[in-house]
Amino acid sequence: KKNMKNRKSQEAQTLPSRCPDNSAFKQQKLPAWKPKLTITTVLSSFFVTGVFCLSAGVCLILSANSVREIQINYSDKCSDCSKLRENSSNWNNECYCSVDFMLKEDMLGDVFMYYGLQNFYQNHRRYVISRSDAQLLGRDVNIQKSYCAPFTTYQNGTPMAPCGAIANSIFNDTIDLFYNLNSSVIQVPLLKTGNSWWTDKNVKFRNPESYNLSSAFAGTARPPYWQKPVYMLDEEDEGNNGYINDDFLIWMRVSAFSTFRNLYRRVSRTKQFADGLPAGNYTFCISYNFPVSKFKGKKHVILSTVVWSGGSNPFLGIAYMVCGTAATLTGFVITAIHLQLRKKKTFIQK
């Protein structure tokens, strides 16, 4: 028996041990900061957080309320064109309408023009995935294997460029703005480039490589609801065509809600509009192409300024106010509980 025990002890010494090394790190002996929470530190943290969030919320809400904005619903005012677009066979017939409005006060600074859609659901899963990211990167791919169906190819086999439901349903109204000064009408210069995200323009979307854009898209056809092929979206600026067209890039970034707005143009600050849009009478001239009556939708055009905190959306300020109020109320509740417990402890000691 003694020989057996000695043999086992010798074998145990020769075998490697599974125990961690006797170091401060592996044995968890490193010095650590162990804060001792007191009622003073806890209450101070809650009240300081509450004051900070409430102050930030008030500043953000006041900033959002200082934004100058005007919104016009033109889907009803262009009712004749809306009825024309209800019949898809009239897609090739142009229809124009105009909407007059008045700015009571100057819109100083940078002025942005948005188009807004109501009751248009871009968040449907089948709609969101109906695209080919490889095609939008300018690669030669078989779109039949993508999620673009049924907007992949025509009956004769010609592939669509770009494919998918998102691209096919692009917002294609044309909106021009005119300033009515005395008896003259001045067209407001609008910038149609530089409105999309830099990463979209330079990373996520690329045109096929070729000596010219029309040959790059040879053998493809425009989506069914488009009036122009993808390489002719902007006939004035060749660098704003194809998959890197700003209007196309902005539309391809789908919205999470049924009511949304997308940036359409920026007012060029030149001549009479160097300081923004002066007060006066204006007219929107609209080429009506995007139908909304079938899904009971509405279309808006919005003119808005921006401030240091962004646009007129007060959500962030309200969120800060809610968090600040919750933190402050929690601090008062903890204070009340602490005073009550201390009072009971004093009474027991007596």
Side-chain angles (χ1 to χ4, degrees):
K1 290 181 180 179
K2 290 182 179 180
N3 293 333
M4 291 290 292
K5 289 181 180 179
N6 292 332
R7 189 177 300 171
K8 288 182 179 179
S9 62
Q10 290 176 0
E11 291 179 355
Q13 291 177 0
T14 56
L15 292 175
S17 175
R18 294 185 180 181
C19 294
D21 296 336
N22 189 20
S23 63
F25 178 76
K26 293 187 177 181
Q27 295 296 338
Q28 300 183 10
K29 295 179 181 179
L30 290 174
W33 179 58
K34 298 178 181 179
K36 185 178 179 181
L37 296 178
T38 63
I39 189 64
T40 304
T41 56
V42 171
L43 290 178
S44 299
S45 62
F46 274 105
F47 284 121
V48 168
T49 302
V51 171
F52 171 77
C53 290
L54 288 173
S55 303
V58 169
C59 293
L60 289 170
I61 290 176
L62 292 176
S63 176
N65 290 337
S66 66
V67 173
R68 295 275 298 123
E69 181 175 298
I70 182 170
Q71 179 171 313
I72 296 173
N73 182 348
Y74 70 91
S75 52
D76 295 331
K77 295 183 179 181
C78 300
S79 56
D80 293 338
C81 291
S82 179
K83 292 178 181 179
L84 179 69
R85 291 293 175 235
E86 288 181 1
N87 188 352
S88 59
S89 61
N90 296 324
W91 68 271
N92 202 27
N93 297 330
E94 295 183 353
C95 189
Y96 296 92
C97 62
S98 60
V99 180
D100 298 325
F101 67 98
M102 183 179 68
L103 280 182
K104 296 181 180 180
E105 298 178 1
D106 296 341
M107 297 184 72
L108 301 177
D110 294 328
V111 181
F112 299 84
M113 181 189 292
Y114 302 84
Y115 62 84
L117 290 177
Q118 183 178 342
N119 207 36
F120 188 91
Y121 290 85
Q122 284 190 313
N123 56 1
H124 193 282
R125 178 181 176 277
R126 189 67 189 87
Y127 181 88
V128 171
I129 65 175
S130 184
R131 58 190 289 168
S132 172
D133 291 320
Q135 183 194 46
L136 297 174
L137 279 170
R139 299 172 184 171
D140 186 12
V141 294
N142 182 10
I143 59 175
Q144 292 283 10
K145 298 180 181 179
S146 66
Y147 293 103
C148 288
F151 302 101
T152 52
T153 59
Y154 287 92
Q155 293 182 352
N156 60 1
T158 304
M160 299 180 189
C163 69
I166 306 177
N168 183 63
S169 61
I170 188 173
F171 182 85
N172 56 351
D173 284 0
T174 302
I175 306 172
D176 292 317
L177 180 61
F178 293 89
Y179 177 43
N180 305 315
L181 180 62
N182 299 326
S183 57
S184 60
V185 178
I186 303 172
Q187 184 171 4
V188 179
L190 301 175
L191 301 174
K192 53 187 174 181
T193 57
N195 301 324
S196 61
W197 289 30
W198 184 91
T199 51
D200 289 348
K201 189 89 171 180
N202 298 276
V203 179
K204 294 180 64 177
F205 295 80
R206 308 296 295 169
N207 282 327
E209 295 183 1
S210 183
Y211 63 92
N212 63 44
L213 210 54
S214 59
S215 62
F217 288 98
T220 64
R222 58 175 176 79
Y225 291 169
W226 285 30
Q227 296 174 328
K228 299 177 181 179
V230 67
Y231 54 86
M232 293 181 62
L233 292 177
D234 189 349
E235 298 180 358
E236 299 176 358
D237 185 359
E238 293 183 359
N240 191 36
N241 272 314
Y243 297 147
I244 59 173
N245 175 265
D246 273 50
D247 292 336
F248 175 71
L249 295 176
I250 292 171
W251 180 259
M252 293 299 291
R253 188 172 284 275
V254 297
S255 173
F257 301 100
S258 60
T259 299
F260 61 93
R261 64 175 65 178
N262 284 337
L263 181 59
Y264 181 67
R265 296 289 185 266
R266 291 176 295 126
V267 174
S268 178
R269 299 178 63 175
T270 56
K271 299 180 180 179
Q272 296 98 328
F273 312 102
D275 297 326
L277 291 180
N281 296 316
Y282 290 83
T283 301
F284 281 123
C285 291
I286 302 164
S287 174
Y288 198 106
N289 299 306
F290 193 85
V292 295
S293 57
K294 287 189 177 181
F295 56 87
K296 299 179 181 179
K298 300 290 184 182
K299 292 193 292 186
H300 303 83
V301 59
I302 304 110
L303 292 174
S304 177
T305 59
V306 294
V307 291
W308 62 271
S309 61
S312 62
N313 191 349
F315 173 79
L316 187 60
I318 294 173
Y320 268 101
M321 291 288 290
V322 171
C323 293
T325 303
T328 305
L329 290 177
T330 304
F332 281 118
V333 170
I334 295 175
T335 303
I337 294 173
H338 172 67
L339 293 176
Q340 188 177 4
L341 292 175
R342 189 171 66 174
K343 186 177 180 181
K344 286 183 178 180
K345 185 177 180 181
T346 304
F347 178 77
I348 292 172
Q349 289 177 352
K350 289 181 179 180

